[in-house]
């Protein structure tokens, strides 16, 4: 296979039959939108949306020392995750820079599934394989073993309940349980990247089309719609969730990104990046570098990643993600800004949009929080 040929998920023909606009994303041909991005976004906020996330990278870790190995390789305390639970964590370089943010599921006593971002799956696989040396643990590339379908939004529990007898009411946020959905075996996880309640279903690729169709039929009466990557981005932006390559990079530590809470210094044993991260924690405590904030436009012009944030004629930061917010009805952005300008309500902040300093209001993240 040539490196220029994009990969296709098991649902590729379904997306095309639905008239999706396709785009290259991390080497995969993925649906960007099916119709209106705004309509898809609002469907997830008010009803439900169906996503193909089969581009995500699944890596299985097994063995007697799987827990100790993951504690060494990642910044979180993975050994303390109970069977059937999941944890958001990161894998860092020795210098503390973020290689990727991850979700780790503990499937059994000595079996874990690490889910990496599509753009970093190979990097994470390589790093884990290298770091496994000396541990009684095996790292397995399972990217081709799974398709991943997400159903997100307030109607998602009802839709899924009609297709499974798994105990969804007992399934907590950031937990996963094996079950049968529409007659096919699945790992049912209550996670997501939209700010809404929802589920991610890991199934064999050959079961993906049947499951997608069953979910589509089950959700037809409550307004479920297929959703592309474009609204996934605006949903996660409203929810203040970071995107690798934007809010998270190898030049930032978790402390720079305001996510120092994921680093667990109190766990047993050494871990990759520990010394550098201890220094970063101390720096952040004394004299925080730029801080990640929310910006809400006073006008209509949309900020984009890389645009300068300004105050008093000086550059004080940089936009990492920006888009029109369908929920707020205004353009929004996440940006790293100097600590002196990071307090919510700070006056006089703007974004340089093609030479014009457009006024923005500094707000606390997230922009949107669902009503429980």
């Amino acid at each position: 296979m040539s490196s220029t040929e994009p990969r296709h998920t098991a649902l590729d023909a379904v997306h095309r039959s639905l008239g999706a606009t396709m785009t290259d994303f991390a080497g995969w041909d993925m649906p960007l939108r099916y119709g209106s991005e705004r309509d898809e976004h609002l469907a997830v906020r008010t009803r439900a949306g169906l996503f193909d996330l089969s581009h995500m990278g699944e890596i299985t870790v097994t063995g007697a020392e799987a827990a100790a190995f993951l504690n060494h390789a990642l910044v979180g305390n993975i050994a303390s995750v109970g069977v059937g639970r999941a944890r958001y964590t990161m894998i860092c370089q020795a210098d503390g820079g973020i290689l990727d943010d991850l979700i780790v599921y503990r499937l059994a006593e000595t079996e874990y599934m690490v889910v990496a971002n599509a753009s970093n799956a190979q990097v994470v696989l390589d790093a884990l394989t290298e770091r496994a040396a000396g541990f009684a643990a095996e790292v397995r590339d399972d990217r081709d073993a799974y398709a991943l379908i997400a159903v997100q939004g307030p109607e998602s529990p009802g839709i899924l309940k009609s297709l499974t007898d798994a105990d969804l009411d007992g399934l907590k946020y950031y937990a996963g349980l094996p079950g049968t959905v529409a007659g096919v075996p699945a790992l049912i996880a209550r996670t997501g990247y939209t700010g809404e309640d929802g589920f991610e279903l890991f199934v064999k690729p050959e079961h993906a089309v049947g499951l997608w169709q069953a979910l589509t039929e089950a959700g037809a009466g409550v307004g479920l719609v297929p959703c592309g990557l474009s609204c996934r981005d605006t949903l996660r932006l409203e929810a203040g969730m970071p995107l690798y390559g934007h809010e998270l990079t190898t030049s930032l530590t978790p402390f720079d990104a305001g996510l120092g809470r994921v680093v667990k210094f109190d766990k047993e044993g050494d871990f990759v990046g520990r010394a550098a991260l201890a220094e970063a924690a101390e720096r952040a405590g004394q004299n925080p570098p730029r801080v990640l904030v929310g910006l809400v436009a006073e006008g209509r012009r949309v900020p984009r990643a890389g645009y300068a944030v300004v105050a008093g004629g000086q550059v004080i930061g940089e936009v990492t993600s920006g888009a029109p917010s369908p929920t707020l009805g205004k353009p929004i952005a996440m940006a790293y800004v100097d600590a002196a300008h990071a307090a919510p309500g700070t006056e006089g902040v703007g974004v340089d949009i093609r030479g014009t300093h457009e006024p923005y209001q500094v707000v606390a993240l997230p922009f949107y929080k669902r009503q429980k």
Side-chain angles (χ1 to χ4, degrees):
M1 189 174 88
S2 84
S3 59
T4 54
E5 277 296 301
R7 299 182 68 185
H8 299 279
T9 77
L11 291 161
D12 187 69
V14 173
H15 301 318
R16 292 170 196 281
S17 73
L18 291 168
T21 300
M22 305 297 285
T23 188
D24 176 75
F25 185 82
W28 291 81
D29 211 14
M30 296 297 292
L32 188 64
R33 70 181 77 81
Y34 299 86
S36 152
E37 296 163 12
R38 185 175 178 278
D39 290 350
E40 291 172 25
H41 179 110
L42 294 173
V44 175
R45 285 277 177 259
T46 58
R47 303 185 306 277
L50 191 59
F51 295 84
D52 178 12
L53 305 179
S54 303
H55 59 314
M56 300 293 280
E58 296 86 5
I59 301 162
T60 303
V61 176
T62 55
E65 292 183 322
F69 156 60
L70 286 170
N71 263 14
H72 163 73
L74 310 179
V75 300
N77 188 349
I78 309 305
S80 69
V81 178
V83 173
R85 297 307 301 264
R87 184 155 297 165
Y88 176 79
T89 188
M90 294 182 185
I91 181 167
C92 289
Q93 300 178 150
D95 67 0
I98 303 166
L99 279 174
D100 201 13
D101 61 336
L102 311 164
I103 296 179
V104 179
Y105 297 88
R106 189 169 197 167
L107 303 180
E109 195 59 37
T110 59
E111 182 182 4
Y112 295 81
M113 182 167 67
V114 177
V115 182
N117 285 299
S119 55
N120 295 329
Q122 189 64 49
V123 169
V124 173
L125 179 67
D126 292 346
L128 288 177
T129 303
E130 188 183 316
R131 293 174 189 189
F135 288 93
E138 184 198 343
V139 176
R140 188 171 74 232
D141 180 0
D142 269 348
R143 285 177 287 178
D144 294 335
Y146 292 102
L148 179 56
I149 295 173
V151 55
Q152 296 278 307
E155 297 286 355
S156 57
I159 293 168
L160 203 53
K161 276 180 188 175
S162 71
L163 297 173
T164 184
D165 55 8
D167 178 19
L168 297 187
D169 290 335
L171 186 63
K172 295 184 173 72
Y173 187 51
Y174 267 73
L177 87 170
T180 301
V181 182
V184 304
L187 172 67
I188 306 166
R190 198 166 207 153
T191 47
Y193 195 49
T194 62
E196 299 300 333
D197 191 10
F199 302 88
E200 297 189 331
L201 307 170
F202 295 85
V203 298
K204 288 182 176 174
E206 59 265 32
H207 294 150
V209 171
L211 178 58
W212 179 280
Q213 287 167 343
L215 287 161
T216 299
E217 287 165 23
V222 292
L224 174 83
V225 300
C227 292
L229 292 179
S230 188
C231 85
R232 181 170 152 90
D233 192 47
T234 53
L235 289 159
R236 71 92 195 166
L237 177 55
E238 287 184 351
M241 295 174 168
L243 175 63
Y244 195 89
H246 290 255
E247 288 72 40
L248 309 174
T249 68
T250 50
S251 63
L252 296 169
T253 73
F255 294 94
D256 295 326
L259 291 165
R261 65 181 181 276
V262 306
V263 182
K264 303 300 180 192
F265 293 112
D266 57 353
K267 62 180 176 177
E268 275 184 42
D270 196 14
F271 62 92
V272 178
R274 182 183 193 120
L277 288 167
E279 285 177 27
E282 198 172 326
R283 276 199 311 274
Q286 292 168 347
N287 180 24
R290 287 184 166 174
V291 179
L292 189 64
V293 300
L295 299 174
V296 178
E298 292 178 22
R300 310 299 311 164
R301 297 181 74 188
V302 179
R304 298 296 181 194
Y307 285 12
V309 182
V310 293
Q314 301 294 311
V315 174
I316 57 147
E318 186 176 297
V319 171
T320 53
S321 296
S325 164
T327 304
L328 275 61
K330 297 173 178 178
I332 58 171
M334 285 201 273
Y336 282 107
V337 302
D338 294 345
H341 299 273
T346 301
E347 300 285 323
V349 171
V351 175
D352 186 337
I353 301 182
R354 296 187 191 87
T356 307
H357 292 182
E358 298 285 336
Y360 274 73
Q361 185 186 2
V362 179
V363 299
L365 291 168
F367 300 96
Y368 165 86
K369 220 172 192 166
R370 72 182 169 99
Q371 303 302 306
K372 295 282 190 243

